[in-house]
């Protein structure tokens, strides 16, 4: 097993474009790390620098204590699984899996034993004589996975390997990949823009945007304690609700948040009190996840912390409902996740939104967490 260290890594192209900017990470031995972010955020470039397929412009890459910047890809002892499988169409499943061993001139007996062991690990034993065109997408991806593990590499690299599969197969292969990685014990780095893959597979998630590190942590840390507005908005489905407005000091030093276009105040997290020292309103963004908003019919028993709105859409998902509420004509609809599927919600009906301060995130005008 291998610890991977990225020390102030940058990647600049001849055009001057900087795809990765001063990235520092430590990926512990035997862990499964997911690089997560939108298209163009630098995650695939980072993976390719680890693989040796992209030259590093600045900084250092280490496998354990060994500096790898100038080590050719073939000498890095990595197994890589690509998005498009990269199988040889004229070779059987057996020969595709055996290909890296033949390049190393593995002895025949050892080669056959290792190929069959790798095939068994991904449940391909019955398909060894078939050609790739005779396989489903999921089976082809299993072949690519078996070809990666047959070498017993120190590092696994995955470049969006499930994006070509349908939803059911993606769920199945997520489990398969993490099972095999834990069985082999190799350090794994996995690239995806799919947050569901990241949340369900990762020991550690690294969120990138614009080539820069936004936050690194466990799935629980990333979801419940986002460092900035980008992370809060990118991670979570349905997406987090943003309220654009102002922090204001009320009577007795009580701090409240007012959404633009609405005179109703929301309570703030405790940390907001530390950031308010005058009566001058400060622009800020309040963020609340759909499951932390409560929805009630409008009644005479209003609360100072209730935000009034109109129900505009209801989506029934079986185990829950998503209710879309318009709080202001200028603001996007707010989403409320309701697990009580017996509760009736009528489109066009007035309603109130409630939130507890402990489940609110507050971001300053620069997008950083307050």
């Amino acid at each position: 097993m291998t610890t991977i260290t990225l020390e102030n890594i940058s990647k600049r192209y001849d055009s001057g474009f900087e795809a990765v900017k001063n990235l520092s990470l430590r990926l512990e031995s035997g862990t499964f790390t997911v690089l997560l972010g939108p298209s163009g955020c630098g995650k695939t470039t980072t993976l390719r620098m680890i693989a040796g397929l992209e030259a590093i412009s600045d900084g250092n890459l280490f496998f354990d204590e060994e500096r790898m910047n100038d080590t050719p890809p073939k000498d890095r002892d990595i197994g890589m699984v690509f998005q498009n499988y990269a199988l040889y169409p004229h070779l059987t499943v057996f020969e595709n899996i055996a290909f890296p061993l033949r390049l190393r001139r593995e002895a025949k007996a050892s080669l056959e034993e290792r190929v069959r062991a790798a095939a068994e690990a991904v449940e391909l034993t019955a398909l060894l004589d078939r050609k790739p065109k005779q396989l489903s997408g999921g089976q082809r991806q299993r072949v690519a996975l078996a070809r990666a593990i047959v070498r017993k590499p120190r590092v696994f690299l995955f470049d969006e390997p499930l994006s070509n599969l349908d939803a059911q197969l993606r769920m199945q292969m997520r489990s398969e990949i993490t099972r095999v990685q834990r069985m082999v014990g190799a350090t794994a780095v996995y690239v995806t823009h799919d947050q569901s893959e990241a949340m369900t597979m990762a020991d550690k998630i690294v969120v990138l945007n614009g080539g820069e590190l936004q936050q690194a942590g466990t799935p629980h840390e990333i979801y419940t304690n986002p460092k900035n507005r980008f992370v809060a908005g990118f991670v979570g489905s349905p997406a987090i609700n943003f309220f654009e407005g102002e922090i204001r000091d009320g009577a007795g030093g009580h701090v409240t948040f007012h959404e633009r276009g609405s005179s109703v105040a929301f309570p703030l997290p405790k940390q907001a009190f530390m950031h308010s020292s005058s009566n001058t309103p400060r622009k800020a963004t309040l963020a609340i996840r759909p499951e932390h908003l409560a929805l009630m019919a409008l009644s005479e028993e209003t609360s100072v912390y209730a935000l009034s709105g109109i129900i505009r859409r209801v989506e029934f998902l079986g185990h829950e409902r998503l209710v879309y509420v318009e709080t202001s004509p200028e603001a996007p609809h707010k989403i409320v996740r309701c697990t009580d599927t017996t509760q009736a919600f009528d489109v066009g009906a007035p309603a109130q939104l409630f939130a507890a301060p402990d489940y609110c995130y507050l971001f300053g005008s620069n997008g950083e967490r307050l």
Side-chain angles (χ1 to χ4, degrees):
M1 294 190 287
T2 301
T3 296
I4 303 172
T5 304
L6 288 74
E7 190 178 83
N8 304 119
I9 293 287
S10 295
K11 175 61 183 180
R12 284 186 303 276
Y13 292 97
D14 293 340
S15 64
F17 174 68
E18 196 168 16
V20 178
K21 306 171 185 177
N22 201 38
L23 178 62
S24 292
L25 289 170
R26 181 178 172 86
L27 312 180
E28 298 295 339
S29 175
T31 58
F32 196 109
T33 299
V34 173
L35 305 182
L36 176 67
S39 297
C41 73
K43 55 188 185 295
T44 295
T45 303
T46 300
L47 189 82
R48 288 174 63 83
M49 285 191 287
I50 294 172
L53 302 176
E54 290 279 0
I56 296 171
S57 302
D58 289 306
N60 295 296
L61 171 69
F62 295 94
F63 284 6
D64 293 330
E65 304 302 319
E66 182 182 0
R67 185 175 180 272
M68 304 299 290
N69 291 46
D70 302 317
T71 303
K74 66 182 180 63
D75 297 327
R76 296 195 181 196
D77 196 13
I78 59 173
M80 195 159 183
V81 181
F82 297 91
Q83 177 180 354
N84 61 356
Y85 320 131
L87 302 179
Y88 297 103
H90 62 290
L91 299 181
T92 64
V93 169
F94 183 98
E95 289 300 330
N96 267 283
I97 298 173
F99 189 80
L101 298 182
R102 293 204 185 281
L103 288 180
R104 293 163 60 174
R105 291 181 168 80
E106 188 84 11
K108 182 178 179 181
S110 174
L111 181 146
E112 291 191 359
E113 180 182 351
R114 290 174 63 174
V115 168
R116 294 190 182 281
E120 184 178 357
V122 296
E123 300 178 358
L124 284 174
T125 305
L127 305 176
L128 289 174
D129 294 329
R130 295 190 184 182
K131 298 284 182 67
K133 66 180 181 181
Q134 298 173 291
L135 305 176
S136 67
Q139 289 168 339
R140 292 179 192 179
Q141 198 56 278
R142 287 171 187 264
V143 177
L145 183 57
R147 186 178 57 191
I149 68 175
V150 76
R151 297 177 61 253
K152 299 181 180 177
R154 61 198 297 197
V155 173
F156 276 143
L157 302 178
F158 299 90
D159 188 9
E160 301 202 54
L162 306 184
S163 59
N164 291 333
L165 305 181
D166 62 41
Q168 186 173 353
L169 268 177
R170 282 202 303 272
M171 291 182 64
Q172 181 181 350
M173 286 303 299
R174 287 200 309 239
S175 299
E176 195 67 25
I177 288 173
T178 52
R179 179 186 69 82
V180 170
Q181 184 266 338
R182 286 177 171 80
M183 177 185 70
V184 176
T187 306
V189 185
Y190 186 105
V191 162
T192 185
H193 62 271
D194 186 327
Q195 57 171 299
S196 296
E197 288 182 18
M199 295 294 288
T200 55
M201 299 175 74
D203 297 315
K204 181 179 186 176
I205 296 176
V206 175
V207 184
L208 300 173
N209 188 40
E212 297 182 311
L213 175 65
Q214 302 297 308
Q215 187 172 353
T218 66
H220 184 266
E221 289 168 345
I222 296 294
Y223 188 82
T224 62
N225 193 24
K227 183 180 178 181
N228 57 39
R229 176 176 172 152
F230 175 81
V231 175
F234 191 78
V235 177
S237 181
I240 201 167
N241 296 297
F242 287 121
F243 298 79
E244 305 293 344
E246 300 173 336
I247 303 173
R248 299 179 187 175
D249 283 358
H254 192 64
V255 184
T256 55
F257 179 91
H258 292 249
E259 186 184 32
R260 294 168 194 170
S262 173
S263 61
V264 181
F266 261 112
L268 289 184
K270 296 173 184 177
Q271 61 265 33
F273 291 83
M274 298 185 293
H275 293 275
S276 182
S277 58
S278 71
N279 291 323
T280 304
R282 297 178 55 200
K283 290 183 179 180
T285 301
L286 183 67
I288 309 173
R289 296 206 179 276
E291 62 267 30
H292 295 147
L293 275 176
L295 182 67
M296 296 180 63
L298 190 62
S299 68
E300 294 181 0
E301 298 178 2
T302 58
S303 164
V304 67
Y305 295 138
L307 185 63
S308 299
I310 304 294
I311 296 175
R312 293 304 186 194
R313 190 163 91 249
V314 179
E315 295 179 352
F316 178 67
L317 302 178
H319 63 294
E320 65 182 8
R321 292 184 187 185
L322 301 182
V323 183
Y324 294 75
V325 180
E326 180 185 294
T327 59
S328 168
E330 303 123 21
H333 293 171
K334 305 304 184 287
I335 304 175
V336 184
R337 175 177 260 154
C338 300
T339 55
D340 182 2
T341 57
T342 63
Q343 188 176 355
F345 300 106
D346 297 322
V347 174
Q352 288 179 303
L353 298 178
F354 297 85
D358 289 345
Y359 293 104
C360 299
Y361 308 112
L362 190 68
F363 304 100
S365 56
N366 62 355
E368 293 300 309
R369 180 88 171 268
L370 295 179

